Amino acid sequence: MGRARLAELHGVATSYEPAPGRTVQVPEDTVVAVLAALGVDASTPRSVREALDRHDSRLRERLLPPCVVVRPGRAPRLSLPEGTALRVRAEDGAPHARGRAAAGAHGTDGALTAARTREGGAFRGGALAGGALTGGALTDGVLTEGATADGLLMEGATADGPLTALAALPPGAHTLFAEAPDGRRATAPLIVAPDRMPLSPVRSHGLLVQLYSLLSARSWGMGDLGDLADLAAWSGRALGAGFVQINPLHAAVPGTPAAPTDPSPYRPSSRRFPDPVHLRIEDVPEYAHLRGRARARADQLLEAAAALRTSVLRDGALIDRDAVWALKREALELVRTVPLGPGRRAAYCDFLAERGQALEDHALWCALAETHGPEWRAWPGGLADPRSADTARARAEHLDRTDFHCWLAWLTDTQLAAAQRAARDAGMDIGLVHDLAVGVHPSGADAWALQDVFAAGMSIGAPPDAFNSRGQDWGLPPWRPDALAATGYAPYRDLLRGLLRHAGALRIDHVMGLFRLWWVPEGREPTEGCYVRYDAEAMLGVLALEAHRAGAVVIGEDLGTVEPGVREELERRGALGTSVMWFERNYSGAGPARPLSPEEWRADCLATVTTHDLPSTAARLTGDHVELRHRLGLLTRPLAEERAAEAVEVAEWLALLGRLGMLPEGPGDEEAVVKAVHRFLLRTPARMVGVWLPDAVGDRRPQNLPGTWDQYPNWRLPIADADGRPMSLEELVASPRLRALMAEVARLAPRDPGALAP
C-alpha cells in the first residue's frame, strides 16, 4: 500500500485498462524503476516510508507549489496561512499594467502595495482594460486599480479561498512571491493562460504533404523551403487553399559513415530548431556574391545536386538525406566566406540574442558531434555535461563551428519566415501548419542540453492494445513532470514559442501525451511499462498562452487509444482534433460499427481521408496496401481473410457515398471515388479539411509503414503518380487529376465565418 500511495503522489499509475472493464496491474519492478527516474527511492519498505515522510514534510512546510497556473475565472486554491503577503511581478514579455498608484501605496521597488484582506482572505477583483490591470488602489482587499511599469505588486491573505485576482493578471509567465507571518518566504513561477486557444474565423481547406517528398526542378535531391513557399503561394492563389500542413522540420541527429541519418522526422535531435538540410541554397542572399574559385565550386555542387535530383525523379532512386546534406553543407561553407552586410549582420545578432542559451547549446552540440560523433554519452572528459568546466572550455575552442551552426539556424529561420509570408500573401487564412513530434532522440542535442528535465533510463511508447499485443517502444526519453513544473515549464514554453514563430497552426503529435505518457524502463518490454501523468492544466495552459501570443490554431493528433475525457477537455480549450474518414464509425451500438454520416462528425477537427502513416486512398480502394503488408509479413490474419475484411470496409463507405448522392459516376472509377470521399469530408462540419497531396495524383505508396524499419523505405519516397513514376512539383501543379480534384474541393468548401459554430 505504501508504494502504491507513493506512486499515486508522483503521478505513476500502478494499473491500466487496455479495454473497458479489463484492468492490468503494472509490475512492481516497473513502478520502482519509474519512481527512481523521478528521483524517488521505492526499492525497499524502509525507503518507501522515508520517501512518504519526506513528501508529507515538504507539503507541510512549503508555502507555494512548484508552479502556479491560472486562467480567467479559474484562479488556484492555495492553502496559505492567514496574513500571508503575496506579490506578483510581470515578466517574460507579458504586458505590464500601468497607471498611477494610490497615494502612499508605493513600496520600495516602486510597485503597488496594499492592505491585507479580511474575512477569510479572498483576494478579489482586478479591473481589466486593454488586457492590463488599471489604476491604483485596494479597498478591503478588492483590487480596483494599480500597477507600475516594472511589474505588479499585490498583498493579501488567504486561507483556503481562491485568489481570483491572480486570474485577472495579463497572460504571460510571471513570478509569484509569498511571505508568511512566521517569516517563511517562497517564490514560484506563475503562468497566466488564456482560457481557450485561437480558432480560425473561417473554414479552411488545404494540402497535407511531407516536405522532403516534394521535389521541384530546383531541389537538391529532396524538397526544401523554397519548394514549400512555391507550393503555398500556388495553392493559395490557384486553389483557394487556406493552409499547407507539413511534417516536422526538426533538426535530425547527423549521420556517420557507419550509421546514416535516421530519416524519420519524428525522432529528431532537437525539436527547438529546424534542420538546415531544408534550406534553399540559392535563396541565401550571400550566395549571389560568390566569386572566383568559390563560385566555380558552387557551380560544380549545383551540377551534383541536379544529378541527385534526376536520380530520384527520373531513375527511381530513394531520397538520400545524407547525400543532400553533404552537398548543401559544402555550399554553405562557401557562402559563409561572404561577409554579411550591416543590415543582415544586425538581424543575425538580434536572432542570437532572442534565442539565447538554447541556440548556443544546440550549436555547440552540433560542433561537438562533428568532432566526437553524435553519441554524447561517449564524449571524452566532462563533455557529456553541458554545464561542466570541460564543456565551458570546449565552447571557446569550438567558437567558429558553434557560430557556423548558429548561422545555419538563422538562415533556416529566415526561409521559414519567407515561406509563411508567401502563404499569407497568397491569401491563406492559416498558412503553414507545423508539426511537433512527441519526443527527441536520446542521443540528440535536446537530450544533452536539457538532461535535467528528461527522465534518464526511460522511453515513451504505447501499451498493448487490440492492434498491437506487444505494445510499442518509440525510443524517446520523456519529460519529467516534476522537473518541468520546477522550471515553470520554461523548456516547454521555449519549444512552443520557437515552433510558432512562423506558423499559422501547430499540429501536436500524440496530443494525449499532454495528459499522460506510457513510460518503458530501459531493457524492458513495452508490455512492462506504465502510465505517468502530467499536469494537464499546466501543459494546456502553456500551450494556450503560446498559441495566443502567436495567433495560431492548435491541432491535436488524437488517434488511437485516448483516455476518457481527453477529447472533451481539448475541445473545451479550443484545440482541434484529428478525424480520419476510415476511422469515423459509431462504436457505441450493438453489432458492427457503421460509418458515421457527415452530420455526426465533430466540428472542431481537421478532417482528412488518410495520413502519412496510413495507406493512400487509391491503395485502400485497390487493396494494394494489403498486398504490400502481405509481402512484408505484417499481416496478422491469412491474406484472403484480410482482403475480404478490407473489401467489406470499403464497400460500406462506397454504399454510404452512393446513398448520399456523392458518387454519381459509380464505384468503378477510382478518380471519381477519390473526389467523392473529399465531397464527403466537405459535407461534415469540420473546421479544417485536408487533402493528402499524394492522393491528388493517385500515389499508391505510403510514406511510412508502421511496424517496419529497413523492410520498407519509410520517409524516403518522392510523391509519385498512379504508376509509381515520381512527379516534380512542376508536374504536380500541372496534373489534370490534381486540378480536377482541387477544383471540386474549392467549389464545395464554404468559407463563410457564419457557417461555423463559435
Side-chain angles (χ1 to χ4, degrees):
M1 288 296 293
R3 185 173 287 151
R5 178 171 175 260
L6 189 61
E8 182 181 9
L9 291 172
H10 290 86
V12 178
T14 55
S15 65
Y16 68 98
E17 293 187 5
R22 178 170 171 247
T23 300
V24 175
Q25 296 298 316
V26 172
E28 286 210 3
D29 287 350
T30 296
V31 175
V32 171
V34 170
L35 283 171
L38 293 169
V40 179
D41 183 1
S43 57
T44 66
R46 178 178 177 178
S47 64
V48 168
R49 287 194 303 271
E50 291 174 348
L52 286 170
D53 289 343
R54 284 193 299 272
H55 184 274
D56 293 343
S57 177
R58 281 196 299 268
L59 283 182
R60 287 192 302 270
E61 295 172 1
R62 81 179 188 186
L63 212 51
L64 294 172
C67 184
V68 179
V69 179
V70 299
R71 51 182 165 129
R74 294 175 178 266
R77 297 182 65 87
L78 301 176
S79 297
L80 300 172
E82 186 171 353
T84 298
L86 293 178
R87 184 177 65 180
V88 178
R89 178 176 294 127
E91 295 178 349
D92 193 26
H96 290 161
R98 300 179 182 274
R100 182 179 59 82
H106 286 86
T108 57
D109 58 0
L112 178 69
T113 62
R116 290 177 171 81
T117 58
R118 300 188 296 273
E119 299 178 359
F123 196 97
R124 299 171 295 152
L128 285 171
L133 290 166
T134 63
L138 283 161
T139 304
D140 291 332
V142 180
L143 179 62
T144 57
E145 300 179 307
T148 63
D150 64 345
L152 308 176
L153 183 61
M154 303 182 301
E155 290 187 0
T158 71
D160 292 321
L163 292 169
T164 54
L166 295 180
L169 291 169
H174 310 296
T175 300
L176 178 62
F177 301 85
E179 183 174 356
D182 61 8
R184 286 181 296 152
R185 297 182 178 184
T187 64
L190 170 65
I191 307 295
V192 183
D195 197 49
R196 287 178 58 83
M197 301 167 205
L199 285 175
S200 175
V202 298
R203 187 179 196 185
S204 290
H205 68 278
L207 299 173
L208 283 59
V209 64
Q210 301 282 290
L211 180 56
Y212 60 82
S213 71
L214 185 73
L215 285 74
S216 73
R218 295 176 62 189
S219 302
W220 286 35
M222 62 182 283
D224 61 35
L225 292 171
D227 298 325
L228 177 59
D230 282 347
L231 178 69
W234 171 76
S235 60
R237 288 185 166 88
L239 308 179
F243 65 89
V244 174
Q245 178 181 306
I246 53 177
N247 55 285
L249 302 184
H250 308 321
V253 176
T256 66
T261 298
D262 185 344
S264 172
Y266 292 95
R267 199 169 149 80
S269 169
S270 174
R271 297 184 295 176
R272 299 188 291 177
F273 296 96
D275 199 308
V277 76
H278 300 109
L279 282 169
R280 169 69 62 81
I281 302 298
E282 302 95 311
D283 287 353
V284 178
E286 289 72 29
Y287 178 85
H289 298 283
L290 290 173
R291 298 290 184 268
R293 291 182 179 178
R295 167 55 60 192
R297 180 55 185 158
D299 291 344
Q300 291 174 345
L301 292 171
L302 271 178
E303 292 177 4
L308 200 57
R309 177 177 62 247
T310 299
S311 71
V312 174
L313 291 177
R314 189 186 65 190
D315 302 334
L318 298 177
I319 292 169
D320 187 339
R321 184 189 186 106
D322 287 340
V324 172
W325 179 234
L327 296 177
K328 289 190 176 184
R329 182 179 57 214
E330 185 176 350
L332 288 162
E333 297 278 10
L334 295 172
V335 173
R336 190 167 176 249
T337 64
V338 179
L340 295 174
R344 295 264 294 165
R345 170 61 61 182
Y348 178 43
C349 290
D350 283 348
F351 180 76
L352 293 175
E354 183 178 359
R355 302 311 302 269
Q357 186 70 54
L359 175 59
E360 184 183 336
D361 285 344
H362 172 72
L364 177 60
W365 182 91
C366 293
L368 292 173
E370 289 177 337
T371 303
H372 304 294
E375 178 47 73
W376 55 265
R377 291 176 183 82
W379 288 350
L383 296 181
D385 178 358
R387 305 294 169 240
S388 72
D390 288 326
T391 302
R393 285 190 292 272
R395 290 180 191 274
E397 295 166 0
H398 294 80
L399 193 58
D400 182 68
R401 293 308 295 174
T402 299
D403 182 66
F404 175 68
H405 290 286
C406 287
W407 177 71
L408 294 181
W410 173 61
L411 293 180
T412 314
D413 184 78
T414 61
Q415 291 195 8
L416 276 171
Q420 174 65 351
R421 195 160 51 245
R424 300 306 294 267
D425 288 348
M428 287 190 168
D429 304 301
I430 294 174
L432 302 185
V433 181
H434 287 286
D435 197 350
L436 172 61
V438 69
V440 296
H441 197 289
S443 298
D446 284 0
W448 174 73
L450 299 172
Q451 294 175 47
D452 292 345
V453 293
F454 284 111
M458 295 289 143
S459 174
I460 57 177
D465 56 28
F467 301 99
N468 193 328
S469 61
R470 298 180 60 184
Q472 300 175 58
D473 183 346
W474 302 331
L476 309 170
W479 295 118
R480 279 183 57 164
D482 58 330
L484 279 180
T487 67
Y489 294 87
Y492 176 49
R493 286 189 283 125
D494 292 344
L495 168 62
L496 292 173
R497 193 171 304 176
L499 285 167
L500 290 167
R501 286 169 63 85
H502 310 301
L506 179 66
R507 174 191 181 271
I508 299 181
D509 192 41
H510 195 71
V511 72
M512 299 82 79
L514 301 181
F515 295 77
R516 65 178 186 177
L517 280 172
W518 184 257
W519 288 24
V520 181
E522 186 175 319
R524 296 181 184 273
E525 293 297 319
T527 53
E528 299 177 81
C530 72
Y531 278 115
V532 175
R533 189 160 295 282
Y534 292 76
D535 185 342
E537 179 69 19
M539 300 294 280
L540 291 173
V542 171
L543 177 59
L545 173 61
E546 296 304 331
H548 167 76
R549 285 172 161 170
V553 175
V554 173
I555 304 162
E557 188 270 299
D558 56 352
L559 304 174
T561 303
V562 183
E563 183 182 12
V566 166
R567 287 195 176 103
E568 293 78 6
E569 180 61 17
L570 289 169
E571 182 179 356
R572 282 191 292 269
R573 300 302 296 272
L576 303 184
T578 300
S579 294
V580 177
M581 192 191 80
W582 304 103
F583 300 156
E584 291 298 306
R585 291 172 171 268
N586 183 350
Y587 294 96
S588 59
R594 62 169 179 81
L596 291 180
S597 56
E599 65 274 7
E600 294 177 287
W601 283 46
R602 54 182 172 173
D604 290 330
C605 73
L606 165 63
T608 69
V609 181
T610 189
T611 74
H612 59 268
D613 283 333
L614 296 172
S616 69
T617 303
R620 193 177 288 273
L621 294 174
T622 59
D624 283 6
H625 71 295
V626 176
E627 302 298 329
L628 173 62
R629 294 172 60 226
H630 171 64
R631 290 196 301 272
L632 297 176
L634 298 176
L635 297 183
T636 57
R637 296 182 290 183
L639 176 59
E641 193 175 329
E642 280 289 344
R643 284 174 175 162
E646 286 292 320
V648 167
E649 183 175 348
V650 170
E652 287 176 334
W653 281 102
L654 292 177
L656 176 58
L657 294 172
R659 290 195 300 273
L660 295 172
M662 294 181 181
L663 191 53
E665 304 91 342
D669 184 332
E670 179 188 301
E671 288 189 46
V673 175
V674 172
K675 286 182 184 177
V677 294
H678 287 92
R679 291 182 189 123
F680 180 92
L681 291 186
L682 292 160
R683 183 80 66 87
T684 74
R687 286 182 175 269
M688 297 175 67
V689 174
V691 178
W692 175 236
L693 186 56
D695 266 358
V697 290
D699 197 345
R700 260 70 170 158
R701 306 170 305 176
Q703 282 294 315
N704 178 52
L705 189 59
T708 62
W709 177 244
D710 56 2
Q711 307 98 314
Y712 184 80
N714 295 318
W715 318 112
R716 289 174 288 169
L717 293 171
I719 297 174
D721 64 14
D723 297 321
R725 183 183 65 85
M727 300 181 72
S728 68
L729 173 59
E730 291 80 7
E731 291 172 313
L732 283 165
V733 302
S735 164
R737 179 167 178 164
L738 181 147
R739 286 178 171 270
L741 172 62
M742 296 310 297
E744 186 73 353
V745 169
R747 182 180 71 83
L748 297 173
R751 294 170 62 82
D752 176 13
L756 293 175

